[in-house]
């Protein structure tokens, strides 16, 4: 009986709090051994969206993304400004040590070793990724999407991925679909992937399956 928006936020909070995923507690380390987190949420009914990028002290970035959306004034806040916004609004903040786990530290060491040999592309998915996301459709037919991530292991300091970019890694529109993406964000930003799938449904009348398959399995690998 709740809303799609509440459902995707709640689902992502659970995954941010779980150490096994690359979001919140358990987030990937960047190249400097720190954490910079990205998250977004979008309401498919109104096309309102909120996102934070490169935040360093927010326990649950998806909650603050929702707060950014609720502000009504802006869509994407980054870095210190986003951390300050969260603090001022009373969201829970944590020290950087909260995000790190031994498993992620191990992955950073493995990624650095591969990179030193010029073999970064040989890393497996678990070593690099693990972004979390949720999509939902509620009883009123409203769609929502949310995504949260630490980016990828050993990413450059300051690098922002696709997750907080509306239309790239996160998108929801009642007229078409709700999408939360994972994998190397640079490809998703270039292809404006989530919106591209939505646009194919809207303008070409493609099914969700066909549009997704064409983009993810055919175009993306090219
Ligand atoms: N898409 C995320 C990023 O590029 C990484 C991931 O999905 O694991 O930041």
């Amino acid at each position: 009986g709740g809303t799609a928006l509440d459902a995707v936020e709640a689902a992502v909070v659970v995954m941010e709090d779980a150490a096994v995923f690359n979001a919140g507690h358990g987030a990937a380390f960047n190249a400097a051994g720190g954490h910079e987190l990205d998250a977004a949420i979008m309401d498919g009914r109104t096309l309102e969206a909120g996102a934070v990028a490169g935040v360093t002290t927010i326990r649950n970035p998806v909650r603050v993304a929702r707060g950014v959306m609720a502000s009504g004034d802006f869509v994407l806040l980054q870095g210190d400004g986003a951390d300050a916004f969260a603090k001022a609004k009373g969201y829970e903040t944590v020290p950087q040590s909260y995000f790190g786990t031994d498993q992620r530290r191990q992955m950073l060491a493995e990624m650095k070793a591969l990179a030193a040999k010029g073999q970064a592309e040989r890393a497996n998915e678990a070593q690099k990724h693990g972004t979390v996301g949720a999509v939902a459709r509620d009883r009123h037919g409203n769609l929502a999407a949310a995504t949260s991530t630490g980016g990828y292991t050993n990413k450059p300091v300051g690098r922002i991925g696709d997750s907080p970019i509306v239309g790239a890694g996160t998108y929801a529109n009642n007229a078409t679909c709700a999408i939360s993406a994972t994998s190397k964000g640079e490809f998703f930003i270039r292809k404006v992937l989530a919106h591209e799938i939505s646009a194919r449904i809207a303008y070409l009348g493609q099914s969700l399956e066909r549009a997704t398959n064409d983009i993810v399995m055919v175009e993306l690998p090219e």
Side-chain angles (χ1 to χ4, degrees):
T3 67
L5 208 52
D6 285 342
V8 295
E9 179 184 350
V12 169
V13 164
V14 170
M15 293 185 278
E16 286 178 337
D17 288 346
V20 289
F21 301 112
N22 172 13
H25 180 50
F29 283 94
N30 65 19
H35 300 276
E36 295 170 309
L37 314 178
D38 301 335
I41 192 165
M42 186 159 184
D43 183 346
R45 185 175 68 85
T46 60
L47 301 189
E48 288 173 311
V52 292
V55 296
T56 59
T57 62
I58 298 170
R59 175 180 170 136
N60 291 110
V62 73
R63 283 199 204 281
V64 182
R66 177 95 184 252
V68 167
M69 183 175 93
S71 77
D73 258 357
F74 36 82
V75 169
L76 173 59
L77 273 186
Q78 66 88 33
D80 292 348
D83 280 311
F85 172 87
K87 206 165 177 195
K89 295 279 185 188
Y91 291 97
E92 189 177 351
T93 57
V94 288
Q96 279 266 292
S97 57
Y98 165 79
F99 300 115
T101 63
D102 288 344
Q103 195 192 14
R104 289 282 168 207
R105 205 165 281 109
Q106 169 76 22
M107 287 173 189
L108 179 64
E110 289 167 7
M111 283 296 293
K112 282 196 177 294
L114 282 173
K117 288 188 280 183
Q119 297 175 345
E121 73 289 346
R122 292 185 59 186
N124 61 41
E125 278 301 304
Q127 284 169 319
K128 291 183 294 187
H129 297 301
T131 290
V132 305
V135 296
R137 180 180 190 273
D138 64 30
R139 64 162 67 170
H140 304 293
N142 294 320
L143 302 183
T147 313
S148 184
T149 187
Y152 65 87
T153 303
N154 205 27
K155 68 181 181 178
V157 173
R159 177 265 187 191
I160 291 169
D162 59 316
S163 307
I165 311 291
V166 169
T170 307
Y171 191 70
N173 185 334
N174 274 8
T176 54
C177 58
I179 293 180
S180 173
T182 180
S183 194
K184 186 82 190 299
E186 281 65 18
F187 296 106
F188 292 71
I189 294 172
R190 290 184 197 135
K191 294 273 181 189
V192 201
L193 180 126
H195 185 266
E196 175 72 15
I197 291 171
S198 170
R200 282 172 182 245
I201 295 169
Y203 304 142
L204 297 179
Q206 290 186 342
S207 67
L208 176 64
E209 186 181 7
R210 168 83 197 276
T212 307
N213 194 63
D214 281 2
I215 299 290
V216 177
M217 306 310 288
V218 181
E219 280 203 16
L220 213 51
E222 280 172 4

